[in-house]
Structure formats: structure tokens, C-alpha cells
């Protein structure tokens, strides 16, 4: 996997002060995407053990609420193995932190992936960005079709449960 950037302080992509990893690569190319520079799978920088270790160290700072993974598209097949490895590590080594993942795939698609990514996600922000549904008043999403899904509650209820502040 490659990544575009790591933000050690982010307040725009989930509640509280967060660490964000922007993965590199996306096949979906939503018109109006605010991260077009992350579409190229060969762009950005190589992600490896050193970057994973740095992320865990950054996330474990006392003022950090959690990790946000976005992109690019973290749920592209090319990115899933490394994203899953990172999420597992964060759940293990940062037990009091939450994990948010942004994806253009729907929850119903992600839950059918071979990789059990949702086992390690607290909130999934799903759905393609749709420019005509863009609304700057929305919290933590770009267009009104996108859902902020409370993954543990959704799994427990057997139906989509939206995240509430």
C-alpha cells in the first residue's frame, strides 16, 4: 500500500482530535472529490512497518481520540490487506481509541468483503461523494447520501444504526 499523508492532528474527520491516514489509490473517481491527488496507486509514499509504528505512537498520545482512515479509497482491494493489518494493530495497541473509516463503498458491500475489516471499525462513513448532494453543513461527511454508521451497534441490531454524537 501507498499513502498520501499522515495527519498527526485532525479535527475534521471524526470527533475529537484524531490521527488520520490518507491511503493512496482509488478506482472510483467521484466527480468533485476533494482528494483527486490520492487516486493514483503509484503516487504518494510507500507504507510499511515504520509508518505503522509511527501511527500507533501518534494515536496513543493522551489527547488523541482515535484514528481515521480515508483516501484515496482504503477499501480498494489493493489497500485492504494493509488497512486490515493496521486496524487490528490499533485495536490491540490503542484499546481506548476509536477507529473511523471513510469509504465510497456501501456498508452492505464492505460486510461481504473477504477481509473482516468491519470487526475493527467503530464508525464507517460510507457512500460515494455525490457533488449535487454536497452540503457544507453536514458533520463529518461531504454529501447527504453518505451515512455515519455505528458498526458495533449495526452488527448487534442486524440493521444499519447511524452514529450519533
Amino acid at each position: 500500500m501507498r499513502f498520501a499523508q499522515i495527519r498527526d492532528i485532525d479535527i475534521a474527520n471524526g470527533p475529537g482530535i484524531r490521527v488520520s491516514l490518507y491511503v493512496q489509490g482509488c478506482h472510483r473517481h467521484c466527480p468533485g472529490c476533494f482528494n483527486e491527488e490520492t487516486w493514483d496507486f503509484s503516487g504518494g509514499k510507500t507504507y510499511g512497518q515504520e509508518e505503522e509504528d509511527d501511527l500507533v505512537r501518534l494515536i496513543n498520545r493522551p489527547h488523541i481520540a482515535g484514528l481515521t482512515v480515508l483516501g484515496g479509497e482504503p477499501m480498494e482491494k489493493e489497500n485492504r490487506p494493509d488497512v486490515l493489518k493496521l486496524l487490528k494493530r490499533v485495536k490491540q495497541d490503542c484499546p481506548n481509541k476509536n477507529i473511523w473509516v471513510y469509504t465510497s463503498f456501501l456498508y452492505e458491500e464492505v460486510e461481504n468483503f473477504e477481509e473482516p475489516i468491519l470487526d475493527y471499525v467503530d464508525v464507517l462513513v460510507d457512500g460515494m461523494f455525490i457533488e449535487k448532494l454536497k452540503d457544507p453543513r453536514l458533520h463529518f461527511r461531504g454529501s447527504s447520501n453518505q451515512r455515519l454508521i455505528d458498526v458495533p451497534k449495526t452488527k448487534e441490531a442486524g440493521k444499519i444504526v447511524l452514529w450519533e454524537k
Side-chain angles (χ1 to χ4, degrees), residues 151-164:
V151 175
K153 288 182 180 175
T154 294
K155 287 178 155 202
E156 185 179 313
K159 64 179 184 173
I160 299 294
V161 176
L162 298 180
W163 175 83
E164 296 180 24

Side-chain angles (χ1 to χ4, degrees), residues 40-94:
D40 182 0
F41 281 89
S42 61
K45 305 168 212 157
T46 302
Y47 176 87
Q49 191 62 49
E50 184 178 330
E51 289 74 21
E52 182 179 298
D53 292 343
D54 284 345
L55 280 165
V56 168
R57 180 184 54 77
L58 290 168
I59 295 162
N60 267 324
R61 294 175 296 170
H63 64 283
I64 297 297
L67 169 68
T68 298
V69 182
L70 59 170
E73 177 52 75
M75 297 298 152
E76 291 288 11
K77 190 152 188 70
E78 296 89 335
N79 292 330
R80 283 185 228 153
D82 287 315
V83 168
L84 178 59
K85 181 178 180 281
L86 171 64
L87 299 184
K88 283 181 178 179
R89 169 114 186 255
V90 170
K91 278 296 182 191
Q92 176 184 321
D93 293 356
C94 313

